[in-house]
Amino acid sequence: MTDASAGSEPRARARPVLSASAVVRTFGASVALDGVDLELHAGEVVGLVGANGAGKSTLVAILSGALAPTSGTVSIDGSPVRLSGPEDAAAAGIATVQQDVDAALAPDLSVAENLVLDRITRGELGFLPSRRTIERAARELVGDGFTLPLRTPVSRLRTAQKQQLLIARALGRGARVLFLDEPTAALSITEQRALHDQVRRLAAEGTAVVYITHHLGELTAVSDRVVALRDGRIVGRFAAPLDPAPIAAAILGSLAGPVRRPPRTGTAGESVLRARGVVPLLGRPGFDLELRRGEVVGITGLLGSGKTELLRQLVGADALLAGTLELDGRAFRPRHPSDAIAAGIGFVPEDRRSGAEFPDWDLAQNASLADLRRHSRFGLLDRRSELRGARELIEALRIKAPGPSAPLSSLSGGNRQKVVVARWLAARSRVLVLDEPFRGVDLAARADLARLVRSDTVESALVASSDPEEILEVADRVLILSDGRLVAEVRPDEVDEESLARLMVAGLDAPAGRTA
Amino acid sequence: MTVADRARDLVYRYGLLVLLLALIVFFASTEPAFGTVRNVLVVLQAVAITAIVALGVTISLTVGGFDLSIGSIVSFVVMVTTVAQVYFGLPAWVAVLLGLAAGALIGLINGLLVVLARVPDLLATLGTMFVFAGFALVPTAGQSVAAGATFNGEPAPGRIGPDFLWLGRGSVLGVPVPVLLMIVLGVVVSVLLARSRPGRLLAAVGSNPEAARLSGVHVGRVKVLAYVASGTLASVGGVLLAARLGRGDVSAGSPYLVETVAAALIGFAVLGANRPNGFGTIVGAVFVGVLINGLTMQNVPYYWQDLIKGALLVGALILSFSAIFRKDRT
């Protein structure tokens, strides 16, 4: 591990724009940050990595004024400051673009209105400013390089465009330090590349950018240097040339292990789930899909390619648009998710928070929901049996939690995802249908989940992900969707991440599509 | 956990019970008649009906719904049971069954409006609240019902029988029947909500309906059942109220909306449950009852009651919705 001291870094002689020194933050009895030193200099992109719960969010919250440190100091241009909130931070030139871009925007207002929202609400543009005034102020703020149409309501923008808007707004307000929290989680490959270009440009113009992501590929591509956190401490500082392997080792600590298992050749048995003539989106040509016993089938494609729409039809979450389904060779027509569950199919939706979690419930209750009958005695729930079941699942999935009665909201993203998957293991589901199961999940948890999906505990699985790295890691076969059509089917040993990413994009250039 | 956190936690857990105890001690020391066995029974009898109706509110709150029509259901059932006996000379048990069926039916209508017609719950039950408050007036042309009332120009044939009155006025081993029913139904609802599969499914729908659906819960069915349960429990309250009054007073049920909602919301805070729960609701109902009875004995005029109840409801809303007593979620 290259634990280079700050003194050896090239920019160390210049005064850092923003720095943290010996920052400690505790929540009750738990220590989120345990003495962190970090210096951010003008014109550099610093990649920040760590498993969920490593302390990234806490560090960003402290540096951006959303949270006060328990001890230690935050300094701007070398002088200690006490930031008392995001407004304070913004005034000092520190801006954050959160992963949830919608939280920072007013959807019914236009791009221009969102850009100068602070000035409108402060009355600086006058009482009831005209559209022309607002648009002039917005143009002044962002300059001519800003390409989004000013009059479009924000609700019609794509995620990448909303991000562009937020970045432009932050920079227009004079941000010198920009935090980007998992900015590419909802972006397509091309949009990701465009964002990376923009980040490099910003740095060249003198902004300090902190880039937070779980994806090592992205991190090494965009960062000048990388800081890895684990358990509230900085466990590694890496300078260019950046190599993903030691970074992964630093994040994972002793947990690191080979995720990729050799593909199970020839082990796939008889057909479990077969779909004929299904369409993810209306008006597209139908295609067939087969999931065999002992097989993990991956579905990939850009945002909007129809992965989610397809999976939701297979599990009865949405009505089947076209075609027929067969389960174990018999006709299968789920009208409600309960039909699929009764048939042994467990579904983990794309948006875990809104579609799977009961945050105010404890871990055991979250895990047992689809399996309550087994914990019932004489019509009443047997809490001890429920807790026992949860303890087994905690052990089997290596869920990091104080215990089965810990509230779900107290767990990190990766562990919450494990609990959601555990619900279907508890319900003895034979087939798992997982939509973006690794999103917002740290590397260690992702490795655990991938191992589980490929283990004998799960008979077969259908996994959708827009991340080539993830899908190649977990699947035996990969179907590539584009605009609701099946454009190709590949095996992981035939392609690498680059060529798979190219296939995902290529589908758009040739809408007629290739058939698999 | 800091001292401040611990103190806040203690206040949240036991504050309400301590406050209730303090109220009782205060009233008993300033007004000797308050602490008598007789008055305790009077309070409990008044509380029993509120508590039973509030248990229904607790169930609708559990699925994340809200039932504004319960006061009207109580009024409507009071009229149904007394009209059945006085105007039509039906036996007491038939009147009771008709009353319960009426409550269940209104609950079903509420549920279907919310689930099938997709009307927001507050608006749907606001509508049925007016419809059934109005329905309660129609059969008697707005008159109250008692033995000897005129019906179609002639004296009504029936009267309210002693069996029926026993439900509201009788007692078993010294415990008034409504109080007994309150205890039984309180235990049943508490166990149902906290310790049974249906209760867990109700809570799942209330906590995250989409996640519940994807976990195989039939969200619509569960919601309809919750409203039917709410309506049925309100109708039990209506039957008991008619039996206690011994006559069909129009609009007798209208005070119950504010009292029961306050009781159920106060129940959120009992023992730090932070969610609708049967035991808390009963404590909440006792709280409301003690306060009203005690203040009446302090010679606070009756016309102050609505104001006090309203203020109590606002207090209960703050208690259950504001972040003051929530645990730090960061």
Side-chain angles (χ1 to χ4, degrees):
Chain A
M1 191 178 305
T2 50
D3 204 335
S5 72
S8 68
E9 286 173 26
R11 286 192 191 80
R13 263 165 285 135
R15 204 159 48 181
V17 191
L18 181 65
S19 62
S21 131
V23 163
V24 173
R25 171 71 204 202
T26 56
F27 294 103
S30 68
V31 182
L33 285 181
D34 192 7
V36 168
D37 296 298
L38 183 67
E39 294 188 344
L40 304 175
H41 295 269
E44 68 171 347
V45 180
V46 177
L48 185 59
V49 277
N52 283 326
K56 296 188 307 273
S57 318
T58 311
L59 180 59
V60 172
I62 286 173
L63 286 173
S64 61
L67 208 62
T70 308
S71 70
T73 47
V74 174
S75 307
I76 294 177
D77 295 327
S79 26
V81 287
R82 218 168 170 80
L83 300 169
S84 63
E87 294 83 9
D88 234 17
I94 301 164
T96 310
V97 176
Q98 296 291 350
Q99 188 180 347
D100 181 9
V101 287
D102 292 314
L105 293 166
D108 295 333
L109 299 186
S110 70
V111 169
E113 285 165 325
N114 270 284
L115 280 169
V116 291
L117 200 54
D118 57 329
R119 298 188 63 194
I120 297 175
T121 51
R122 280 201 300 264
E124 285 174 16
L125 301 179
F127 187 73
L128 287 182
S130 70
R131 193 168 74 182
R132 195 141 26 114
T133 315
I134 291 173
E135 284 172 6
R136 197 179 317 122
R139 185 53 72 192
E140 239 168 69
L141 185 81
V142 294
D144 291 330
F146 187 75
T147 52
L148 293 181
L150 289 179
R151 290 183 187 177
T152 307
V154 158
S155 56
R156 287 216 224 119
L157 300 183
R158 284 176 291 120
T159 306
Q161 295 174 314
K162 291 176 186 168
Q163 230 157 31
Q164 238 178 303
L165 195 167
L166 286 176
I167 293 172
R169 185 165 82 179
L171 296 175
R173 290 179 189 171
R176 295 186 297 149
V177 182
L178 185 64
F179 290 93
L180 296 174
D181 191 358
E182 297 231 23
T184 52
L187 301 194
S188 69
I189 299 267
T190 31
E191 288 167 339
Q192 286 183 20
R193 299 221 164 114
L195 180 77
H196 290 169
D197 290 345
Q198 192 184 4
V199 166
R200 295 302 329 166
R201 230 172 14 249
L202 291 178
E205 288 161 10
T207 313
V209 182
V210 177
Y211 196 98
I212 302 153
T213 180
H214 285 307
H215 291 283
L216 296 181
E218 255 185 64
L219 199 72
T220 48
V222 79
S223 314
D224 293 310
R225 59 188 180 99
V226 169
V227 173
L229 278 173
R230 192 172 74 234
D231 299 331
R233 294 162 194 266
I234 291 184
V235 290
R237 296 174 196 266
F238 306 89
L242 293 164
D243 177 7
I247 301 178
I251 300 166
L252 294 174
S254 57
L255 284 172
V259 171
R260 182 120 186 83
R261 233 183 60 168
R264 295 179 286 189
T265 43
T267 55
E270 66 273 36
S271 169
V272 176
L273 180 67
R274 188 197 286 270
R276 289 180 216 269
V278 288
V279 293
L281 309 170
L282 269 179
R284 309 297 195 280
F287 57 83
D288 299 349
L289 180 153
E290 188 181 33
L291 180 66
R292 290 192 294 266
R293 199 173 301 276
E295 191 181 38
V296 178
V297 171
I299 298 182
T300 190
L302 301 175
L303 218 71
S305 60
K307 302 184 298 289
T308 296
E309 290 81 354
L310 176 64
L311 293 192
R312 289 181 65 91
Q313 291 179 51
L314 300 182
V315 299
D318 290 336
L320 198 61
L321 291 175
T324 54
L325 303 180
E326 264 175 35
L327 194 70
D328 299 323
R330 276 194 298 272
F332 172 58
R333 197 166 180 89
R335 301 180 158 276
H336 186 276
S338 64
D339 296 337
I341 293 164
I345 301 175
F347 174 54
V348 174
E350 179 183 23
D351 186 349
R352 183 175 68 227
R353 199 176 294 252
S354 71
E357 291 182 356
F358 300 90
D360 47 336
W361 287 12
D362 66 24
L363 192 161
Q365 291 169 326
N366 268 283
S368 69
L369 182 59
D371 185 38
L372 288 175
R373 284 210 173 80
R374 211 158 47 87
H375 300 300
S376 295
R377 303 272 176 282
F378 312 110
L380 295 183
L381 289 178
D382 180 351
R383 176 72 176 159
R384 270 187 303 180
S385 153
E386 186 178 39
L387 290 174
R388 201 160 46 235
R391 263 186 229 107
E392 285 166 16
L393 291 166
I394 288 175
E395 200 165 318
L397 274 83
R398 300 209 280 176
I399 299 171
K400 265 197 208 156
S405 47
L408 189 74
S409 55
S410 71
L411 270 55
S412 72
N415 286 302
R416 290 208 297 267
Q417 181 71 299
K418 285 183 179 178
V419 173
V420 169
V421 172
R423 181 180 298 158
W424 300 121
L425 297 187
R428 311 275 196 268
S429 299
R430 304 181 296 143
V431 179
L432 288 186
V433 177
L434 311 173
D435 194 359
E436 298 286 358
F438 307 119
R439 187 178 287 175
V441 167
D442 63 83
L443 282 174
R446 172 172 141 189
D448 283 346
L449 283 170
R451 250 193 301 275
L452 172 81
V453 167
R454 297 194 57 83
S455 75
D456 295 334
T457 319
V458 179
E459 197 181 281
S460 3
L462 205 52
V463 180
S465 168
S466 50
D467 184 312
E469 184 184 323
E470 291 171 357
I471 209 77
L472 291 177
E473 184 175 293
V474 76
D476 296 314
R477 274 193 296 142
V478 180
L479 307 183
I480 301 163
L481 298 189
S482 176
D483 189 38
R485 302 155 209 267
L486 177 69
V487 291
E489 176 178 335
V490 294
R491 295 190 167 274
D493 45 9
E494 296 168 357
V495 288
D496 60 5
E497 284 153 35
E498 273 299 315
S499 55
L500 186 60
R502 262 199 301 281
L503 277 172
M504 287 158 68
V505 186
L508 288 179
D509 302 332
R514 284 186 283 156
T515 40
Chain B
M1 201 185 252
T2 65
V3 178
D5 284 345
R6 218 181 282 272
R8 194 174 53 176
D9 202 48
L10 277 179
V11 168
Y12 187 60
R13 259 171 199 287
Y14 302 109
L16 215 104
L17 291 173
V18 171
L19 191 62
L20 178 58
L21 210 65
L23 270 180
I24 292 171
V25 170
F26 172 74
F27 286 138
S29 60
T30 53
E31 179 54 65
F34 182 85
T36 58
V37 176
R38 207 183 115 72
N39 191 52
V40 168
L41 284 182
V42 167
V43 171
L44 279 180
Q45 229 165 343
V47 160
I49 296 176
T50 307
I52 290 168
V53 179
L55 287 171
V57 176
T58 308
I59 294 176
S60 56
L61 284 175
T62 301
V63 293
F66 207 100
D67 190 348
L68 283 177
S69 69
I70 39 172
S72 294
I73 298 179
V74 173
S75 292
F76 185 66
V77 171
V78 166
M79 298 314 280
V80 166
T81 50
T82 51
V83 163
Q85 292 176 82
V86 175
Y87 285 11
F88 299 99
L90 295 170
W93 66 271
V94 177
V96 170
L97 283 186
L98 279 176
L100 297 181
L105 182 69
I106 300 173
L108 182 66
I109 293 171
N110 282 335
L112 294 179
L113 279 175
V114 170
V115 171
L116 287 188
R118 294 175 193 269
V119 182
D121 52 350
L122 278 173
L123 299 176
T125 56
L126 181 71
T128 51
M129 171 179 122
F130 284 114
V131 168
F132 288 98
F135 240 124
L137 302 177
V138 170
T140 66
Q143 301 300 307
S144 290
V145 180
T150 48
F151 176 46
N152 290 342
E154 290 168 29
R159 64 190 188 90
I160 295 170
D163 293 355
F164 187 78
L165 295 175
W166 177 82
L167 288 172
R169 300 169 177 178
S171 56
V172 178
L173 304 172
V175 184
V177 175
V179 175
L180 212 60
L181 264 176
M182 169 184 86
I183 294 168
V184 171
L185 289 173
V187 170
V188 168
V189 170
S190 295
V191 169
L192 176 92
L193 287 182
R195 288 270 167 271
S196 78
R197 182 170 173 273
R200 189 62 72 73
L201 301 186
L202 287 166
V205 169
S207 172
N208 187 344
E210 176 62 6
R213 187 177 90 93
L214 292 179
S215 301
V217 181
H218 291 270
V219 172
R221 268 184 233 170
V222 169
K223 276 193 177 171
V224 170
L225 276 178
Y227 281 104
V228 169
S230 169
T232 309
L233 283 163
S235 67
V236 173
V239 168
L240 296 179
L241 183 61
R244 200 179 83 190
L245 296 172
R247 45 185 281 139
D249 270 342
V250 291
S251 306
S254 42
Y256 284 94
L257 174 59
V258 60
E259 286 181 21
T260 54
V261 172
L265 291 176
I266 289 171
F268 273 48
V270 174
L271 297 182
N274 216 352
R275 69 170 81 95
N277 68 97
F279 176 70
T281 296
I282 291 191
V283 173
V286 171
F287 191 92
V288 176
V290 164
L291 194 69
I292 296 293
N293 179 273
L295 289 174
T296 310
M297 286 195 146
Q298 300 282 323
N299 291 323
V300 173
Y302 74 92
Y303 50 77
W304 275 82
Q305 283 201 5
D306 276 355
L307 197 162
I308 293 163
K309 286 182 202 166
L312 198 63
L313 176 59
V314 171
L317 286 167
I318 294 172
L319 202 60
S320 46
F321 287 103
S322 77
I324 305 171
F325 291 107
R326 295 287 161 84
K327 294 239 170 75
D328 198 352
R329 281 180 186 271
T330 40

